[in-house]
Amino acid sequence: MKKTILFTTLMLLISLLSFSTLINEEGNVYNLNLEYENGWVKVLSHTLQFGGNGTNFDFVEQGGQDILFPFERFTADLELFDKHHVVFLYQPLTVETKVQQRDDLVFNDTTFASTTNADSVLNVKYGFPFWRVSYLYDFLENEDYYLSAGLSLQLRNASIIFENYDGSKVTVNQNLGPVPIIKIKAAYFFDNGIYLETDADGFYASSAFINGADFNFEGSVFDISGRVGFELKDSLNTFINIRYLGGTANGTSQYESTRWSESGQSENYTSNILNTATFTLGFEIK
């Protein structure tokens, strides 16, 4: 199985390298860079509460998120006229765990009672994958370094599910929505082929005017990375990347729950605080 995955990854890199070489001709007004990262994510802290009387659930202490989980990321950077960048990102992020309940838990006005038998096993799914499109402009650029800044629009695709062992009791919260973000990217290149790069996306809103709703709701997202890269050849780099990925949501939604996948709780209060760190090995094909 491991040999098959390694072979598939190598073939994918070779195919992408050939594709990139074919389309990125010298003198073109565009240039396409492709990135792939693979590694692990560690949940540093993660708490969640649904409803004013709900349990403030600790995913690390109570929900089984105390180990490492696989992590990957896909990025395509389309450079136009040497100064403009349109960046497309897909970030899968779904963690599914199973734990033995030790206390009574309340989510969305639903009580999951703790017992001594198999009914006390809790299946937990925290899905928060997202797509992001960004625009960057190169304000500073030469052979040694560059500095770019711009805006991103992130589309979150959240799905949070708590279910008891036999499936007789379940609560579901799902949400699809856009998030505007500020983006900064910079790098410095050494003469020996090694380079340092940082990439930061961040956003915080605590008012209805900024977050796009007609009521106050606090929210934030931060995606900050630092990497050490190695130029292998003109069209291929590899890198080691460390990333902080986290965010918050806190407030009472005034939207009416109409879909069966929405909570339908008497008080639509949510508190969700997530902090993670990732370590990945990646490849960039230029």
Side-chain angles (χ1 to χ4, degrees), residues 259-277:
R259 298 181 179 90
W260 287 18
S261 61
E262 296 174 331
S263 66
Q265 59 186 323
S266 57
E267 181 190 357
N268 290 326
Y269 172 77
T270 297
S271 174
N272 188 2
I273 303 173
L274 172 65
N275 297 285
T276 71

Side-chain angles (χ1 to χ4, degrees), residues 150-166:
L151 298 173
S152 299
L153 182 65
Q154 181 167 300
L155 185 65
R156 66 175 181 270
N157 192 40
S159 178
I160 304 171
I161 301 174
F162 295 92
E163 181 181 17
N164 67 350
Y165 180 77
D166 61 5

Side-chain angles (χ1 to χ4, degrees), residues 91-105:
Q91 171 64 78
L93 185 60
T94 298
V95 177
E96 296 187 61
T97 55
K98 181 179 293 186
V99 292
Q100 181 74 41
Q101 232 182 288
R102 299 184 183 181
D103 301 302
D104 292 351
L105 303 171

Side-chain angles (χ1 to χ4, degrees), residues 11-285:
M11 292 303 296
L12 177 62
L13 286 172
I14 293 172
S15 300
L16 290 175
L17 183 60
S18 301
F19 174 72
S20 179
T21 303
L22 286 174
I23 66 172
N24 291 329
E25 301 248 344
E26 187 175 352
N28 284 351
V29 297
Y30 61 85
N31 189 65
L32 180 64
N33 297 332
L34 303 174
E35 285 187 15
Y36 174 70
E37 299 176 49
N38 195 293
W40 50 257
V41 56
K42 171 63 177 174
V43 180
L44 303 176
S45 63
H46 188 191
T47 59
L48 177 71
Q49 181 177 345
F50 287 135
N53 296 320
T55 301
N56 189 20
F57 187 73
D58 189 320
F59 280 92
V60 177
E61 297 294 331
Q62 300 169 288
Q65 291 186 358
D66 52 341
I67 59 175
L68 301 179
F69 296 96
F71 181 90
E72 60 181 349
R73 172 175 281 221
F74 305 84
T75 306
D77 180 351
L78 180 62
E79 181 182 359
L80 301 170
F81 303 101
D82 295 325
K83 288 286 186 180
H84 306 270
H85 298 261
V86 180
V87 184
F88 300 92
L89 166 71
Y90 172 55
Q91 171 64 78
L93 185 60
T94 298
V95 177
E96 296 187 61
T97 55
K98 181 179 293 186
V99 292
Q100 181 74 41
Q101 232 182 288
R102 299 184 183 181
D103 301 302
D104 292 351
L105 303 171
V106 180
F107 306 105
N108 301 326
D109 297 332
T110 301
T111 300
F112 292 80
S114 176
T115 65
T116 58
N117 53 36
D119 293 339
S120 207
V121 174
L122 191 67
N123 298 321
V124 183
K125 174 188 175 183
Y126 186 85
F128 210 87
F130 57 82
W131 293 262
R132 185 189 298 158
V133 58
S134 306
Y135 168 76
L136 285 168
Y137 179 79
D138 294 333
F139 288 93
L140 299 173
E141 183 183 17
N142 59 34
E143 294 181 354
D144 295 328
Y145 60 86
Y146 70 79
L147 173 64
S148 306
L151 298 173
S152 299
L153 182 65
Q154 181 167 300
L155 185 65
R156 66 175 181 270
N157 192 40
S159 178
I160 304 171
I161 301 174
F162 295 92
E163 181 181 17
N164 67 350
Y165 180 77
D166 61 5
S168 61
K169 187 171 292 187
V170 62
T171 180
V172 179
N173 282 75
Q174 295 190 162
N175 181 267
L176 178 67
V179 180
I181 302 174
I182 297 173
K183 184 177 183 67
I184 299 174
K185 189 174 183 180
Y188 185 86
F189 299 88
F190 297 94
D191 294 336
N192 57 7
I194 297 175
Y195 64 93
L196 303 177
E197 187 173 72
T198 183
D199 190 356
D201 291 79
F203 171 78
Y204 172 82
S206 60
S207 68
F209 176 77
I210 298 178
N211 64 28
D214 55 3
F215 53 88
N216 289 335
F217 195 94
E218 179 185 352
S220 67
V221 58
F222 295 99
D223 184 354
I224 304 170
S225 74
R227 69 177 52 170
V228 179
F230 307 89
E231 297 177 312
L232 303 181
K233 57 182 301 184
D234 290 341
S235 55
L236 179 63
N237 296 341
T238 187
F239 57 84
I240 298 170
N241 197 98
I242 298 176
R243 180 183 310 277
Y244 167 80
L245 180 62
T248 62
N250 186 32
T252 301
S253 172
Q254 296 178 21
Y255 290 130
E256 181 182 357
S257 297
T258 58
R259 298 181 179 90
W260 287 18
S261 61
E262 296 174 331
S263 66
Q265 59 186 323
S266 57
E267 181 190 357
N268 290 326
Y269 172 77
T270 297
S271 174
N272 188 2
I273 303 173
L274 172 65
N275 297 285
T276 71
T278 72
F279 180 85
T280 57
L281 173 66
F283 296 91
E284 178 185 15
I285 298 174

